[in-house]
Structures are given as structure tokens and as C-alpha cells.
Amino acid sequence: MDTAQKQQLTGAGATGLLFLVLLLSVFDAGVVVATCFFGLALIFGMTGWLGFAVTLVAGIIAMGIPGVDSLWYLERSWSVLLFGCFATITMFFPNCIFLERAIGTLCMTLAIVSVFFLLDYESWYRVDEMINQGIISNVNRSLDVFRQMDRIMIIQRDLSATALQLAGYQSRLFPALLGLSSLASMAVAWWGYIGLSGKKLKSLMGLSEFKFNDHLVWCLIGGLLFLVSDVGEGWSRVGENLVFFMVSLYVLRGAAVFLVTTGILFFGKVSLFLGLIFLAPVVLTIAFLIGLSDTWFDYRNRVRILS
């Protein structure tokens, strides 16, 4: 199908991406988006007073006021490195679809960061501890706000235990969460830049067109092998993050297949939304299986041929 015939990402879709950034982000959600947008405007240019105004705001958010803790510098370092890799890949491969460039950006960024950690292995433990402390600090602040609103100690204890358990998962899976939130951040920045600059660059497709290279299934297989193999705690964590990252992508791919096979009708969207509310584990599992099997069966192409 020609690119021009495919569904473009709408404002509602961009809002959904922004919600994903807020939901998954380990760092300050606005910093990565603002840095990517600001960098795109500087390198590829911007037109119109509104575009220049948004670029100025993005620059202020990206640079901000220097913080007193190391996490402030870590957030900006990751954002600048991520954008640098994204800009490089975009200039070398301008005709590739966004998702391929974004995943390539993550791979390139990960390779650079891995070299740094190999040269200074202790720095990984410092970064890991820094992220963990930041997550715990955010959870404690949220619980303090709740304690001001609710004086029932039983509810507070239950909520605190659940929140700390979720914080533990977030700390262990922060590399995968950082990767997913970075993909969504780049998407929001790219969508905003294309819309405001008027550049004739490849725009983002809607959720119904969400698809990535089929060979990435080997990342899922590799992650599963790390999980089931007794190769040490470090490699088990690598496996957990790989599996979580790939499962999340396949869930989105399954949702895209569902939207196409139901004709992207209002009923299909409503049923998917209600399913996520009342039967989330079942719906997510089905979406994952559909997305994974789409690697071999390419359901959307079959539906389009039949129609």
C-alpha cells in the first residue's frame, strides 16, 4: 500500500503517545521530548512564528536550570545522546520509516553507552543506584500527598506496600522502560516538528500501521534464553528487560492488527478500550500473541488483499 494511502498519526494519536511517555518515563518526561524537538529545529530548520515560539519553549525545557543532583545531568546526557543518534540516522537514512529509524537510534545509543560502561564498569552501579533512588523518592512524594488526603491507616499501608512493590519492578525494568519511553518521546517530537515546520519528510503513521522488522523476534528469543539459562543475575536482568521491551512492542502490534481487522470501526475501538479496563491481563496476552504471530502471517496485508 502506498504511504500516502496509509492512515497518518492524528492529534489524538499524538496525545496517546504523550500519555505513554508520562506513563513509562523513568526520567523527566518533558526533557527528552523537548531536547529532540529543539535539536530537530536547530538542525533541519523551522518556519512560522508558532514554530519558533514552540522551539524557544522546548529549548528552555531542555536546558532548564542546572540541578544540584546527578540525575539532572544524567537526564540531559541521555536526551542529547539519543537525539544525536536520531539526527545522524535520519540524515543517513531519510527514506526509512520512523519506527525503523527510532529503533536504530536506540541500538546506536545503547552501543555507545555500553562502550562507556565497559570502560568504567562501576559507573553502571552508580547509575542504577541513582535511578533507583529517584524512583523511590517519587513514590514517597506521591504517598505523602495521599497521606494528606486519606487518614485511614489500613488503606495507607496497603497502598504503600503496593506502590513500593511497583517501584521495585520499575527499578529492575528501567532500561526497558527507558527504551519504550524514548521511542514514544522521539515520536512525539518528530510528529510535532513535521506539523510545525511543514517539511516534506516522512510523517508518522497511525497505530493501525504500527509494524517493525520481523527479525526483531530474535531479540525476544534471546531474552527468553537469558531468562531460562543460569548465566548469572546480570544476564537474567538483561533477559527480563529484553523480554519486557519486545512484549510491549508486540502488544502494540497486536492492537494495530485488531484495529485493521475490525475495519477501525468505533465498535472495535470501544471494545478494545473496555477490554483493557476490565480484562487487561487477558486482552494484553491476546494482543501479544496476535502481534507475535503477525510476524509470520501478516494479517493486515491479507485483510487488505481480500478487501
Side-chain angles (χ1 to χ4, degrees):
M1 179 177 287
D2 192 280
T3 301
Q5 295 176 302
K6 294 182 178 180
Q7 183 188 21
Q8 302 291 313
L9 183 69
T10 62
T15 303
L17 280 174
L18 186 58
F19 176 75
L20 280 179
V21 175
L22 295 171
L23 182 66
L24 299 172
S25 186
V26 178
F27 293 151
D28 187 337
V31 171
V32 182
V33 176
T35 302
C36 290
F37 183 90
F38 184 67
L40 287 170
L42 286 181
I43 293 180
F44 298 109
M46 179 59 72
T47 58
W49 66 268
L50 180 59
F52 284 113
V54 175
T55 301
L56 177 62
V57 172
I60 294 173
I61 295 174
M63 291 180 285
I65 302 173
V68 295
D69 59 349
S70 301
L71 189 59
W72 188 94
Y73 296 97
L74 183 63
E75 290 173 345
R76 268 69 184 178
S77 299
W78 172 261
S79 301
V80 170
L81 179 60
L82 184 75
F83 165 72
C85 294
F86 180 66
T88 302
I89 289 179
T90 299
M91 286 187 285
F92 277 96
F93 306 100
N95 293 323
C96 289
I97 63 173
F98 168 79
L99 191 59
E100 290 180 351
R101 286 183 283 122
I103 292 178
T105 296
L106 279 183
C107 293
M108 186 176 178
T109 307
L110 179 62
I112 295 172
V113 171
S114 297
V115 170
F116 172 77
F117 285 139
L118 287 174
L119 294 175
D120 184 9
Y121 193 74
E122 292 297 324
S123 61
W124 162 251
Y125 295 104
R126 292 195 293 270
V127 169
D128 192 32
E129 180 62 25
M130 195 186 310
I131 296 294
N132 184 51
Q133 290 179 355
I135 291 172
I136 296 299
S137 177
N138 290 334
V139 169
N140 287 332
R141 281 198 295 269
S142 300
L143 289 175
D144 286 340
V145 171
F146 183 80
R147 291 188 185 102
Q148 301 298 323
M149 301 167 57
D150 190 347
R151 300 297 181 181
I152 304 177
M153 296 304 297
I154 296 178
I155 296 179
Q156 287 185 22
R157 286 197 298 269
D158 291 341
L159 180 64
S160 298
T162 303
L164 291 174
Q165 185 179 21
L166 290 175
Y169 291 139
Q170 189 179 9
S171 297
R172 188 165 181 83
L173 295 172
F174 92 80
L177 292 172
L178 180 59
L180 292 168
S181 64
S182 296
L183 284 179
S185 297
M186 287 186 285
V188 171
W190 183 254
W191 178 82
Y193 176 75
I194 294 297
L196 290 172
S197 68
K199 298 287 183 180
K200 301 301 182 181
L201 299 170
K202 281 187 175 293
S203 185
L204 285 172
M205 297 296 104
L207 175 60
S208 61
E209 302 298 332
F210 184 86
K211 189 176 183 180
F212 46 86
N213 194 303
D214 293 337
H215 294 294
L216 286 178
V217 71
W218 290 106
C219 292
L220 177 63
I221 295 172
L224 290 172
L225 289 176
F226 282 135
L227 277 177
V228 300
S229 302
D230 187 15
V231 289
E233 176 65 19
W235 288 110
S236 295
R237 187 176 180 187
V238 170
E240 290 173 358
N241 280 272
L242 266 176
V243 169
F244 185 85
F245 181 82
M246 291 308 304
V247 166
S248 300
L249 291 185
Y250 279 116
V251 166
L252 286 175
R253 185 166 174 168
V257 170
F258 178 80
L259 291 179
V260 170
T261 53
T262 56
I264 322 179
L265 299 174
F266 178 75
F267 172 75
K269 294 180 180 180
V270 171
S271 60
L272 182 61
F273 178 74
L274 293 176
L276 285 174
I277 294 177
F278 298 107
L279 297 169
V282 176
V283 172
L284 292 177
T285 301
I286 293 174
F288 165 69
L289 293 175
I290 293 174
L292 181 61
S293 60
D294 185 58
T295 302
W296 296 278
F297 295 108
D298 197 1
Y299 299 114
R300 283 167 286 186
N301 189 49
R302 292 170 183 259
V303 169
R304 285 160 181 159
I305 290 174
L306 292 175
S307 61

